[in-house]
Amino acid sequence: MKRRDFLAAGAAVLLTSPMRAQAQQVPFSAGTQAPRLKVPPLACDCHMHIYDSRFPAAANATIKPPDATVADYRKLQARLGTTRNVVVTPSTYGTDNRVTLAAIEQLGPTARGVGVVGPDVTMAELKKLHDGGVRGIRFNLAVGAFLKPEMIAPLSRKVAELNWHVQVNMAPDLLVSLSDTLADLPTPIVLDHLARIPQPAGVAHPAFAVVRRLLDKGHGWVKLSGLYISSADGSPDFADAGTVAAAFVQAAPERVLWGSDWPHPTKAEKPDDAALLDLVGRWAPQEPMRQRIFVDNPAKLFGF
């Protein structure tokens, strides 16, 4: 075997081998222990961010965390046992996706990205992002919002040509008001952070029914991430938000994704990522369900 082919074969083995979770300290994460839950090989973290001061923050940025690097994130992967990940461009950088593209390049073929673009983006620019590993666009209408709801439909039509998806982070009342628009998009729709279903209303809130219709239609996906964003009961395991997460898993295990939300930019007191991962075992006690959540669903949506 030629040396080049030997190295390629070795890399392929590494990319498909399960990582053994290791106890260690991780920047922007409480605790040091590995999770009790053993994730399946090729498990994917579908929502995390990289912050890098080499890239300037947008002029209107409201969140400006310290650097959270690829090297830092690799420590989280080693602690959790995950091997794939999706880098989401944070609101800090506006429509500048260079931080995400640079991170994907460092992480290699086990990484994908979700970018942020404006209404004047060209197909040439979108194709460049696609070549860099981006597979969707995000509308963050909840934190540091500078995009507008009326931009969702026209941009969805643009990225549909690339078989991308549209990801949204918005207040639940806005989600309800946009329910028809989201249902009619030509692309899949991904809802961040449990769709921000508020507590204590939980599954009784009208936004939950909107998400259920999107899931049942086969058009929507929801991320099991950021429980602390909507939790109101003060419990260490965010039990009230966990009830919503469990309801989504039971309703459509083929349409849910898990994400760490590392480095937890909206939370001053950082959570224990291993403890957050262990919660998935409560919501999805059967191994086939977890295989879908951690591996099969991300592979389908992001093209791993």
Side-chain angles (χ1 to χ4, degrees):
M1 182 182 290
K2 294 180 180 179
R3 182 175 183 274
R4 179 181 58 192
D5 296 333
F6 177 80
L7 292 174
V13 170
L14 289 174
L15 293 176
T16 56
S17 299
M19 286 185 66
R20 185 174 181 177
Q22 306 166 7
Q24 65 171 294
Q25 182 65 57
V26 176
F28 310 105
S29 182
T32 60
Q33 294 302 306
R36 295 185 300 273
L37 180 67
K38 183 179 179 181
V39 297
L42 303 180
C44 184
D45 177 355
C46 292
H47 193 102
M48 45 75 62
H49 308 287
I50 295 295
Y51 292 90
D52 189 334
S53 55
R54 293 179 302 165
F55 303 99
N60 59 347
T62 58
I63 298 178
K64 299 179 181 180
D67 281 5
T69 67
V70 168
D72 293 333
Y73 180 71
R74 286 192 186 280
K75 294 177 182 178
L76 182 69
Q77 289 184 306
R79 183 182 175 197
L80 301 183
T82 56
T83 52
R84 291 171 170 172
N85 69 290
V86 179
V87 187
V88 179
T89 299
S91 62
T92 300
Y93 299 100
T95 58
D96 183 352
N97 295 287
R98 289 179 296 168
V99 66
T100 294
L101 293 175
I104 296 171
E105 184 176 11
Q106 291 180 66
L107 289 160
T110 57
R112 297 287 187 271
V114 174
V116 179
V117 300
D120 57 348
V121 67
T122 66
M123 283 307 300
E125 291 169 329
L126 291 174
K127 288 176 180 177
K128 183 177 180 180
L129 291 174
H130 187 91
D131 291 342
V134 172
R135 294 297 180 268
I137 55 172
R138 188 190 195 206
F139 287 84
N140 187 346
L141 305 177
V143 180
F146 59 93
L147 298 176
K148 305 298 181 184
E150 56 268 25
M151 299 176 184
I152 295 176
L155 279 172
S156 176
R157 290 191 289 271
K158 275 190 178 182
V159 304
E161 297 183 34
L162 296 169
N163 294 317
W164 287 8
H165 64 270
V166 168
Q167 178 177 320
V168 297
N169 180 28
M170 62 176 64
D173 290 341
L174 180 59
L175 176 61
V176 172
S177 68
L178 293 176
S179 59
D180 290 341
T181 297
L182 299 179
D184 291 338
L185 295 180
T187 57
I189 181 75
V190 179
L191 298 132
D192 276 6
H193 308 322
L194 299 176
R196 303 180 75 96
I197 303 298
Q199 298 296 338
V203 296
H205 192 278
F208 181 83
V210 171
V211 180
R212 277 297 311 269
R213 287 195 293 272
L214 290 170
L215 296 175
D216 294 345
K217 182 182 175 183
H219 189 61
W221 303 72
V222 65
K223 288 189 178 182
L224 308 176
S225 61
L227 275 76
Y228 40 77
I229 292 173
S230 56
S231 179
D233 68 2
S235 62
D237 58 354
F238 312 106
D240 52 356
T243 299
V244 174
F248 284 139
V249 171
Q250 293 300 316
E254 76 283 3
R255 293 284 170 183
V256 293
L257 309 153
W258 174 81
S260 67
D261 195 31
W262 184 92
H264 314 287
T266 61
K267 190 162 177 62
E269 184 178 346
K270 304 304 180 183
D272 183 336
D273 285 283
L276 291 177
L277 180 64
D278 281 335
L279 294 176
V280 181
R282 295 188 191 178
W283 312 327
Q286 293 83 28
E287 190 279 331
M289 274 189 172
R290 296 195 295 273
Q291 173 69 26
R292 279 181 161 181
I293 293 169
F294 287 113
V295 183
D296 300 342
N297 297 347
K300 180 178 180 180
L301 185 65
F302 295 101
F304 284 109

